[in-house]
Amino acid sequence: MIFKRYMNKFLNLPLRLKFILSFLAVISLGGLLTLTFGTRLEHRTIISLAQAKVQHDLASAWMVYNEKLNDIRDIVLINSNRESVQNSVKNNDKATLFKYLDRIRKDFNLDVLTLTDAQGKPIIRTSQPDFWEDEQINDPLVIRALRGEIVAATQIISREELIKENKTLAEQAYLEIIPTPKAAPSAKKHEENGMMLKAAAPLIDENNNIVGSLYGGILLNRNYEIVDRVKEIVFKGERYKGREIGTATIFQHDLRISTNVKKENGVRAIGTRVSLEVNQAVLKEGRSWIHRAFVVNDWYISAYEPIKNIDGEIIGILYVGMLEKPYIDLRNKVMITFTGIAVLCVIILLVILFFITSTIIRPLQNMVFATNKIARGDMNYKVEIDFQDEVGQLAQSYNQMTEALKTANQKLIQWGKTLEKRVEERTKELQDMQGSMIQSEKMASLGKIAAGVAHEINNPLTSILINAHLMMEITPEESPLQENLNMISEETSRCSDIVKGLLEFARQNPPLKSYVDINGIVETVIGILEKQVTLKNVQILKKLEEKLPLIEVDASKIKQVFWNLIINAAEAMPEGGTLTICSRLSRSEEFIEIEFLDTGIGISDEQKKKLFDPFFTTKGGGTGLGLAVSYGIIEQHQGKIGVRSQLSQGSSFTVSLPVKGT
Ligand SMILES: Nc1ncnc2c1ncn2[C@@H]1O[C@H](COP(=O)(O)OP(=O)(O)OP(=O)(O)O)[C@@H](O)[C@H]1O
Ligand SMILES: [Mg+2]
């Protein structure tokens, strides 16, 4: 559960942090493992190096030890073979013998130098001249010497035997045992016996008879010559932070009898005992023991080996120890350096990582930024593509996607606009259609009335006109009635014109169609009208599109329409102006459009509604039938008349005639 919660928290972190934390975890784990195993290995290597050295040092210590033993052996051997000694023995010249041997003992720093007879009874005891009653027949070395052997060995010498040699030696050997925490349990409070390096050689006369033995020795208890020599030769007296690096000790059994390990107060630590562990390994099992050990008050890398007597029995231990601290310090130094390098590496890796993640994350951040931009409607934003890796490809796809989205969006907008326009167009078409339907209906009903009225009026009018003419013929020319009759005739003619117009409007004769060039019709109408007074001040501009298709129309009716429109335009510009006449093919190419554009007074919206109504006129003398008739004609041709106008700016009437006749 907790793991899941932390995992969720982790997964919600920003990408860069996630990268860094993951790498950090991996690096730290790797670093930790390397550090742990590395330092362990390094510790082991350093310690085993130290152990190898201490083992080597122990071998050197043995050399010093055995050298001393050999020295004693040599002294004993040389002097036992000396002629002067042999002669003195033969002559029983004890005074000379004593003098000579005592000098030898003192010169070579021996504690004991004793000459015995063939039965092992001391003849000359240089260490205690007045004591010779005893027998050394129990001493294994003397026994062997009397058998003709030259022997040297370390021996335990009992207190009684020491006293026999010299009382001071017994005192020198005596040691109060200091209680030692880790030592083997023992009730012994003191040690009385001593341990001696001892050698013996036979005294052989000229007849090859063994006449006695010479033995000599050095008591090792409280004698520091060997241990100090070991320190000097092996360790060269080196010190580390005020402490001696190397130490050596000789144990009598498990008791320190000669050492240069010092206690806190600087006194040599004799009287203390070896630990139980070492005791077991070396004294009981006879093994070498090489380990780190706490000796007196410091950790030492220690090597212990058993000291054996002439019979091969273990009687003591030779020890060499090296202060562990320099090695530990060296190990720590290496460890700290190692850790420092590791930390530095992690920092460098992190910096590198930071830059690497930046290169990976920056494009992603750009993409997030871009997405936000698009979400806010900015389709023009492009993600920069730095590389062609997966992120680069993603960015590329992303850009393509936005591009497609943008195009789709534009199309949608365009489509919306088109739709709007279409709707507008359709609405307009519908409105137009509705308008024209209303107009057609109006025309149809009005046409019927007009036709009826015209028919009814036409005959009486013809009678009036005929009768008026008859009356004019019979009335003398100078008669004032002539004028009245003339007026009747003119007004009747006018009425007849109106009626004709009405009939024209109402009749809606089927057009007589033929293929004509519409521009030609325009030109003809202009040609006739140009000479008229109405168009005096009007400038006519022609913009007729060439190569228009011929269309099938009733030319005379279309002429009438153009006539009406040009006259109307001219009448709308009493002060003069410009009439532009354009002909063109419609955009759909289904119609030919002829536009009459004037710069006249314009038409109000109110007027526009009634424009094509019959009898709608704003002119005094107008019939108001011009546009109504024109409308009817164009309708007969399945065409249209459109008006655009702005008051006091001008008007435009556009006639559209289908290209394909029906
Ligand atoms: N180009 C134009 N500019 C301004 N008003 C116009 C234009 N054409 C027509 N009109 C208006 O439309 C009315 C109807 O025109 P229509 O041609 O049907 O009759 P009319 O010109 O008045 O009389 P008639 O054609 O018999 O002389 C006109 O009286 C005028 O008010
Ligand atoms: Mg008119």
Side-chain angles (χ1 to χ4, degrees):
M1 274 302 277
I2 294 172
F3 173 76
K4 210 172 165 186
R5 208 170 62 220
Y6 279 107
M7 198 62 195
N8 271 345
K9 265 191 186 175
F10 173 76
L11 290 174
N12 282 320
L13 288 175
L15 208 55
R16 182 200 294 271
L17 204 60
K18 236 173 349 196
F19 260 122
I20 289 178
L21 282 180
S22 311
F23 277 91
L24 203 65
V26 172
I27 290 167
S28 307
L29 196 70
L32 215 67
L33 286 176
T34 316
L35 210 65
T36 315
F37 289 113
T39 47
R40 238 181 221 204
L41 190 73
E42 180 244 325
H43 174 80
R44 263 193 225 161
T45 311
I46 288 181
I47 295 301
S48 64
L49 269 175
Q51 284 177 347
K53 181 172 184 310
V54 93
Q55 200 168 11
H56 180 262
D57 291 347
L58 185 64
S60 306
W62 273 121
M63 272 170 63
V64 174
Y65 188 90
N66 289 327
E67 198 182 13
K68 191 70 199 169
L69 198 59
N70 285 339
D71 281 353
I72 302 168
R73 182 181 169 277
D74 288 348
I75 294 163
V76 172
L77 181 63
I78 290 164
N79 288 301
S80 65
N81 284 335
R82 251 182 209 278
E83 232 183 286
S84 58
V85 173
Q86 299 216 349
N87 287 336
S88 299
V89 171
K90 207 159 72 184
N91 301 331
N92 203 16
D93 186 359
K94 283 188 181 178
T96 314
L97 265 176
F98 176 78
K99 211 173 147 193
Y100 174 73
L101 288 176
D102 192 47
R103 210 191 67 232
I104 295 291
R105 183 177 69 86
K106 284 174 180 156
D107 281 356
F108 290 98
N109 277 330
L110 298 181
D111 290 322
V112 172
L113 188 63
T114 303
L115 187 75
T116 72
D117 63 12
Q119 282 72 46
K121 207 169 150 55
I123 306 166
I124 304 292
R125 178 173 256 138
T126 54
S127 54
Q128 195 159 232
D130 44 358
F131 187 81
W132 58 78
E133 283 82 22
D134 63 315
E135 279 182 359
Q136 287 294 318
I137 203 68
N138 292 326
D139 188 315
L141 268 74
V142 174
I143 293 168
R144 288 179 194 226
L146 290 175
R147 273 194 227 135
E149 286 177 44
I150 303 147
V151 285
T154 314
Q155 292 294 105
I156 297 290
I157 312 291
S158 67
R159 181 175 166 80
E160 296 85 67
E161 290 302 321
L162 285 173
I163 290 170
K164 282 178 199 168
E165 295 297 344
N166 193 315
K167 246 190 183 157
T168 53
L169 287 180
E171 279 165 25
Q172 188 184 324
Y174 183 86
L175 267 175
E176 291 285 344
I177 296 175
I178 299 162
T180 317
K182 286 178 182 171
S186 166
K188 222 169 153 186
K189 293 273 184 293
H190 54 260
E191 180 61 64
E192 295 177 336
N193 300 335
M195 197 157 89
M196 193 176 265
L197 292 182
K198 203 170 172 183
L203 236 79
I204 301 169
D205 67 4
E206 61 268 22
N207 301 322
N208 260 346
N209 292 322
I210 299 168
V211 291
S213 74
L214 180 67
Y215 71 87
I218 293 172
L219 187 67
L220 291 171
N221 307 55
R222 288 196 168 96
N223 183 334
Y224 308 114
E225 192 194 332
I226 292 177
V227 290
D228 285 351
R229 205 167 145 68
V230 168
K231 191 177 80 178
E232 208 172 288
I233 291 175
V234 179
F235 302 110
K236 309 204 168 48
E238 261 181 77
R239 300 175 82 85
Y240 184 77
K241 293 185 178 168
R243 290 191 174 276
E244 278 163 0
I245 283 188
T247 54
T249 300
I250 298 167
F251 290 87
Q252 180 179 330
H253 294 294
D254 66 348
L255 182 70
R256 280 187 183 82
I257 57 164
S258 173
T259 185
N260 41 36
V261 177
K262 300 212 171 114
K263 292 195 274 188
E264 294 291 352
N265 53 12
V267 176
R268 291 178 196 256
I270 53 169
T272 52
R273 291 162 60 217
V274 84
S275 69
L276 178 63
E277 201 184 351
V278 179
N279 183 324
Q280 180 68 31
V282 185
L283 290 177
K284 302 256 163 45
E285 294 166 22
R287 289 191 281 119
S288 307
W289 194 90
I290 301 165
H291 276 295
R292 65 193 294 261
F294 193 78
V295 179
V296 185
N297 46 26
D298 253 321
W299 281 98
Y300 284 84
I301 297 160
S302 311
Y304 297 82
E305 263 179 14
I307 298 174
K308 293 176 181 168
N309 67 10
I310 193 142
D311 298 318
E313 293 158 355
I314 298 166
I315 54 166
I317 306 170
L318 181 65
Y319 155 88
V320 163
M322 255 188 330
L323 201 61
E324 196 190 47
K325 196 139 177 53
Y327 289 93
I328 295 296
D329 284 355
L330 175 70
R331 184 203 66 187
N332 291 348
K333 207 169 146 186
V334 173
M335 237 156 74
I336 289 165
T337 318
F338 190 66
T339 314
I341 291 170
V343 169
L344 198 75
C345 284
V346 168
I347 292 170
I348 292 170
L349 278 175
L350 276 179
V351 173
I352 295 171
L353 197 68
F354 184 82
F355 285 110
I356 291 175
T357 49
S358 292
T359 55
I360 297 171
I361 285 165
R362 204 185 317 116
L364 289 175
Q365 281 174 338
N366 283 350
M367 284 195 52
V368 173
F369 184 71
T371 322
N372 288 336
K373 281 237 163 203
I374 286 180
R376 274 187 245 118
D378 183 357
M379 298 273 182
N380 292 321
Y381 189 79
K382 288 253 177 309
V383 184
E384 273 176 42
I385 301 163
D386 299 333
F387 305 105
Q388 282 305 318
D389 58 356
E390 283 85 344
V391 181
Q393 284 167 14
L394 185 69
Q396 204 168 8
S397 312
Y398 188 84
N399 282 346
Q400 283 167 359
M401 189 190 79
T402 29
E403 196 54 48
L405 211 64
K406 192 174 142 190
T407 320
N409 202 35
Q410 275 171 350
K411 270 190 188 162
L412 212 65
I413 293 169
Q414 192 60 39
W415 196 70
K417 278 185 189 162
T418 319
L419 203 69
E420 240 169 62
K421 210 172 149 197
R422 291 238 175 112
V423 168
E424 244 170 55
E425 278 172 11
R426 271 266 180 254
T427 319
K428 179 120 198 326
E429 266 172 35
L430 277 169
Q431 278 171 351
D432 286 356
M433 215 189 275
Q434 203 183 13
S436 57
M437 270 168 72
I438 293 166
Q439 192 67 25
S440 303
E441 262 171 45
K442 253 194 240 172
M443 297 294 160
S445 47
L446 269 169
K448 274 179 201 159
I449 300 164
V453 171
H455 192 261
E456 290 303 318
I457 291 172
N458 209 24
N459 290 342
L461 274 180
T462 314
S463 306
I464 293 168
L465 201 60
I466 292 169
N467 286 310
H469 277 282
L470 282 173
M471 281 180 74
M472 277 169 80
E473 273 175 32
I474 56 170
T475 311
E477 267 182 43
E478 58 284 353
S479 166
L481 281 175
Q482 245 340 317
E483 200 182 327
N484 295 0
L485 284 171
N486 205 27
M487 211 170 94
I488 291 169
S489 166
E490 272 176 22
E491 287 303 310
T492 312
S493 287
R494 211 173 91 80
C495 282
S496 179
D497 277 354
I498 294 170
V499 169
K500 224 189 278 170
L502 260 176
L503 277 174
E504 184 72 38
F505 165 71
R507 206 168 31 232
Q508 301 194 343
N509 293 332
L512 295 169
K513 290 184 182 174
S514 60
Y515 279 97
V516 292
D517 168 22
I518 211 82
N519 286 342
I521 297 178
V522 175
E523 295 281 11
T524 314
V525 177
I526 294 170
I528 299 166
L529 284 175
E530 257 175 347
K531 292 147 199 158
Q532 295 242 344
V533 191
T534 335
L535 272 84
K536 205 174 64 191
N537 298 322
V538 175
Q539 194 194 347
I540 296 179
L541 274 182
K542 287 181 281 182
K543 290 184 181 172
L544 306 177
E545 195 174 294
E546 283 173 29
K547 290 180 187 163
L548 283 175
L550 300 180
I551 49 170
E552 209 183 4
V553 293
D554 185 329
S556 65
K557 288 197 177 217
I558 296 298
K559 249 183 227 169
Q560 196 185 336
V561 173
F562 292 171
W563 181 287
N564 285 341
L565 292 175
I566 294 169
I567 294 293
N568 278 353
E571 284 171 351
M573 302 182 285
E575 307 297 321
T578 310
L579 169 63
T580 312
I581 305 171
C582 312
S583 70
R584 60 185 168 249
L585 204 58
S586 73
R587 217 182 299 163
S588 66
E589 297 192 357
E590 286 174 9
F591 292 91
I592 286 179
E593 294 171 349
I594 309 100
E595 187 185 359
F596 300 86
L597 176 72
D598 64 56
T599 54
I601 52 169
I603 308 161
S604 71
D605 287 344
E606 199 54 41
Q607 290 171 358
K608 245 184 238 171
K609 290 177 195 162
K610 305 173 206 159
L611 217 53
F612 296 98
D613 289 357
F615 308 113
F616 171 74
T617 180
T618 53
K619 300 165 194 169
T623 62
L625 283 169
L627 282 179
V629 168
S630 302
Y631 187 92
I633 293 169
I634 298 303
E635 204 178 39
Q636 273 186 325
H637 285 81
Q638 280 80 40
K640 284 179 277 182
I641 296 188
V643 189
R644 286 183 295 119
S645 179
Q646 215 170 347
L647 268 180
S648 52
Q649 298 284 315
S651 311
S652 148
F653 284 78
T654 306
V655 174
S656 303
L657 290 166
V659 172
K660 278 186 191 158
T662 50

